[in-house]
Amino acid sequence: MKFDGQIVISILLAVLMVRLLRRFFDLPKRLPQWDKLLTWIWVPGVGLGIIDLLFSFRNDQLDEVYMLFVFGVVILVLVAIQDYRPARTVLLAIVPYALYSALELVLALSEWKLGKNYEDAFDASQGFTVIWMITFILIARNQKRNLEKERLLREEEEQEKKRIAAQNVELERLVAERTATLTKQTEELRKALTELKTMQTQLIQAEKMASLGELTAGIAHEIQNPLNFVTNFSDVSAELITELEEEKRKPNRDANLETELLVDLKQNLQKITHHGQRAASIVKGMLEHSRASTGELQPTDINTLADEYLRLAYHGLRAKDKTFNATLYTNLYPELGQVNAIPQDIGRVMLNLFTNAFYAVQKKKECGADGYVPTVSVSTRRTETGDVEVRVRDNGMGMTAQVKEKIFQPFFTTKPTGEGTGLGLSLSYDIVTKGHKGLLTVESQEGEFTEFTIRIPS
């Protein structure tokens, strides 16, 4: 007995072919059941080898039968995974060779002899099938590489999508956190704004009360003069009446003296009436200033307002500092006429400007400048366009360019803490520009003068 070596080679080739097939098509994942069966592909070959050894077949075609069997199994596997494009290509590659091998085996078993020409053509077709198989196997390999690249690209895209999705989730979380933070901050800002508005209202009211305090102090000092006159003339009138009564009781009455006493008494009563009216007008002005503004424009005597508030501001400062004195100048245009304005508001503006002017000259006086005479002036005129112009000038401390740029800003003040709110000029600016559609400007030179100009359209 002699074991045929061809069958051994065929078994090795079959095992190698199946191994390559399993790796190339990843059969453990695609066809796990077929993959297990393919591990036993060598068993039929060994069985044929044993049969040949035991029965001593003279026919040496058992290896070809076995290879056809292997090719058949491979074809079945490829048909099972034909949805995979390289599998279809490999199937197309080996089918011609398998058909040729089957035809060759049939001819060998039937001992059918072909002619010389046909044998040459048959041999040539064998070479063609081999080249065909190798070519399509190479094509299948390229297809697999391309598919692998596409798979890796898809995996990368999936990974990128997952990464983007994770980033989106994180961004949504961050946006939600930021939104919550901004919402909280918005609520805090809204609360702070409400508190700020309340505080602003309180400060504005405090500024108005401070203005009213300045006005009241000036009024108290100003009203003292007519009241003193009323008191003095009342006392003198009482003395004149006493003298007149005594003269009437005399046996020899002096008619000329009685007439003179009556004339003096009448003059005193006229002076009492005059100064009483003056005191009443001052009280009326105080009441108008303290009364809430109606916001309606009405004919207003600007000259009268300027003159009264200049003196009221001056006496208001003197009520605080009895040693303070200043020179007052008024240059009021006599033909100014009535101006459409809100008297209470314009009065507040003038009182604020006069108060600031007296404050400035007082501070310069305190510096002890030799020969310095504190002076505050007010002038009115009609411009070429018909507007009414009021100028308030002082020879006080003046201001720098930086201070002049900020002078109308809310809460800005050059006064020490506790002496000013920084709202006086800001409110005055709003009253003139917004309430009267006018202009409020300032010119100043540090250490020399400051001049505010109010311009109200006619």
Side-chain angles (χ1 to χ4, degrees), residues 386-407:
D387 297 342
V388 172
E389 189 175 87
V390 181
R391 293 179 178 268
V392 178
R393 183 184 180 96
D394 67 76
N395 62 345
M397 301 294 293
M399 62 183 74
T400 63
Q402 293 79 4
V403 172
K404 189 167 65 174
E405 291 178 357
K406 302 176 181 178
I407 197 66

Side-chain angles (χ1 to χ4, degrees), residues 10-19 21-22 27 31-48 66 69-70 73-74 77:
S10 296
I11 292 172
L12 294 176
L13 288 174
V15 172
L16 179 61
M17 184 185 302
V18 168
R19 182 177 180 83
L21 183 71
R22 293 171 64 193
L27 293 182
L31 295 174
Q33 295 180 349
W34 280 87
D35 182 70
K36 292 179 181 180
L37 293 176
L38 289 175
T39 56
W40 302 95
I41 194 67
W42 55 272
V43 174
V46 173
L48 290 175
Y66 174 66
F69 167 75
V70 173
V73 173
V74 170
V77 172

